Amino acid sequence: MILVSACLLGEKVRYDGSGYNNEILNKYKHLAKFQVVCPEVLAGLSIPRNPAEITANKVLTNKGEDVTNYFINGAYLTMKLAKKQGIKTAILKANSPSCGNKLVYDGTFQNKKVKGQGLTAQVLTLAGVAVYSEEELTEELLVRLIQED
Ligand code: SF4
C-alpha cells in the first residue's frame, strides 16, 4: 500500500477547500493500493482553514494562530496509520507545511520557499518511509513503486 496526500487525488481538503487532480496518480489509481490521507484534516483542522506556514519551529497561520499541535498530531496519526498498514512509500504534496518533502514555504506568506520538510514528511522519513512528492513523480516511477508494493 502507498500513502498518498488526499488533495492530490482531487479530495477537496486544502485550506481553501480545493483539491488537485494529479494525472499520473489518477491514471494508475485503479491498479494501485493507495491509502489516501490528509494529515491536517485527520488532526481535526477544518475545511476551509487559514493557510499555515512553518516559522521558527512553530506552525502559524496567516492570522498568527499557533496551530503547531495540530500539525504534530496530524504527522503522528499519519505515521501510526502508515505503520498499521505496513506502508513503506508515500507520495505527498510538495511544499506543504505537512506534506512538503524537499521545500516548504518560508513562514512569510510571500510565496517564498526554503529547503525543508513538512511535519508529516519529516515524521514518515524518520520512521523509514520513502517519501516522494508529486513533482518527482513520473509514470515510470509510479509503475515501479506499484510493482514493488
Ligand atoms: Fe494536501 Fe497534505 Fe495539505 Fe492535506 S495536509 S491538503 S493532504 S498537502
Side-chain angles (χ1 to χ4, degrees):
M1 195 167 282
I2 298 172
L3 193 83
V4 177
S5 291
C7 61
L8 291 175
L9 281 166
E11 291 197 13
K12 296 184 185 311
V13 289
R14 295 187 66 228
Y15 72 90
D16 59 0
S18 69
Y20 302 97
N21 273 307
N22 182 279
E23 281 182 20
I24 300 175
L25 290 170
N26 272 310
K27 182 171 173 184
Y28 286 92
K29 69 181 177 195
H30 66 290
L31 292 175
K33 282 182 274 167
F34 288 153
Q35 172 65 61
V36 178
V37 65
C38 173
E40 293 171 25
V41 172
L42 193 60
L45 286 167
S46 61
I47 308 165
R49 54 191 174 277
N50 290 322
E53 296 190 2
I54 298 171
T55 172
N57 295 326
K58 285 186 178 176
V59 186
L60 300 178
T61 70
N62 61 342
K63 307 284 186 213
E65 296 163 272
D66 185 344
V67 286
T68 312
N69 283 341
Y70 284 100
F71 280 68
I72 291 171
N73 283 339
Y76 172 72
L77 292 170
T78 303
M79 190 265 285
K80 230 171 118 180
L81 183 65
K83 283 213 157 166
K84 191 173 165 198
Q85 304 279 17
I87 287 172
K88 297 272 178 265
T89 307
I91 300 165
L92 303 183
K93 177 72 192 80
N95 311 322
S96 147
S98 292
C99 294
N101 183 28
K102 300 240 156 64
L103 297 173
V104 288
Y105 290 107
D106 71 350
T108 63
F109 296 93
Q110 307 270 322
N111 209 23
K112 290 187 195 145
K113 294 169 205 163
V114 288
K115 273 191 182 175
Q117 283 185 305
L119 273 70
T120 296
Q122 276 181 45
V123 168
L124 289 172
T125 302
L126 288 171
V129 175
V131 178
Y132 300 89
S133 81
E134 87 284 8
E135 292 179 350
E136 299 167 87
L137 196 66
T138 60
E139 276 196 57
E140 292 73 19
L141 174 60
L142 183 57
V143 168
R144 179 167 65 75
L145 295 175
I146 292 169
Q147 283 169 347
E148 288 171 0
D149 189 35

